[in-house]
Amino acid sequence: VSTQSTGSSGINAEYGGLQAKLKNMLGIPMFLECENVVHRYRLGEIDASSFARIFRMLLGPHQNRFLEILEELIVLLPDIPKQNSLYNILTEWPHNLASCSVCHQVVKKVELSFHSTHAAHDFNINDYSDYRTRN
């Protein structure tokens, strides 16, 4: 799943891990279709609901892993408003994500306390627009 580099080797490694997981699970042709859908979502060509519906369909026989993969994808998206749009549709399913009350970045629930403390102390509370690229 294609994303922009955030300058963090840890996040880039996670992107690579998700890409490898999808390639192995789906094969190259369906992986490329998934990449296309992610790209269209990031460009604003499709909304979060459409993205989720199409992405789930592309998983084919692996639809039982939809929530797991969607959670990984949401956390790794560098665009916080896009993260939140997808996060908001997760209310239909039990999930392991939370939105930071400080910067609104979507993170894993187990990382929320550390993330929120870090965000509150390290950044001007009035400017979180580039939080993902600074972290």
Side-chain angles (χ1 to χ4, degrees):
V1 174
S2 262
T3 56
Q4 291 177 337
S5 172
T6 62
S8 168
S9 61
I11 288 179
N12 288 335
E14 289 180 46
Y15 288 146
L18 180 57
Q19 288 177 321
K21 182 187 296 186
L22 287 172
K23 282 179 189 175
N24 289 333
M25 185 171 44
L26 302 174
I28 299 297
M30 291 309 285
F31 168 76
L32 293 174
E33 288 293 327
C34 288
E35 285 242 314
N36 182 48
V37 172
V38 170
H39 182 71
R40 290 179 55 212
Y41 175 67
R42 292 196 56 215
L43 290 175
E45 294 176 3
I46 57 175
D47 64 12
S49 295
S50 297
F51 171 82
R53 183 176 33 76
I54 295 166
F55 196 78
R56 186 176 203 154
M57 180 190 70
L58 290 172
L59 292 178
H62 306 284
Q63 289 184 14
N64 60 325
R65 299 194 59 199
F66 168 72
L67 187 58
E68 166 200 343
I69 293 167
L70 185 62
E71 286 182 1
E72 284 185 66
L73 180 64
I74 290 171
V75 169
L76 295 173
L77 279 171
D79 183 327
I80 292 174
K82 295 283 187 205
Q83 276 189 325
N84 278 282
S85 292
L86 285 173
Y87 173 74
N88 289 333
I89 67 166
L90 285 180
T91 58
E92 300 174 31
W93 304 282
H95 58 84
N96 299 308
L97 302 180
S99 181
C100 174
S101 62
V102 178
C103 70
H104 306 290
Q105 181 177 341
V106 178
V107 297
K108 295 174 185 173
K109 284 180 182 176
V110 297
E111 299 171 354
L112 181 61
S113 179
F114 173 81
H115 171 88
S116 296
T117 301
H118 182 55
H121 286 90
D122 288 350
F123 301 99
N124 178 341
I125 199 155
N126 296 316
D127 184 16
Y128 290 98
S129 60
D130 65 342
Y131 178 78
R132 287 291 297 229
T133 59
R134 295 161 95 190
N135 199 9

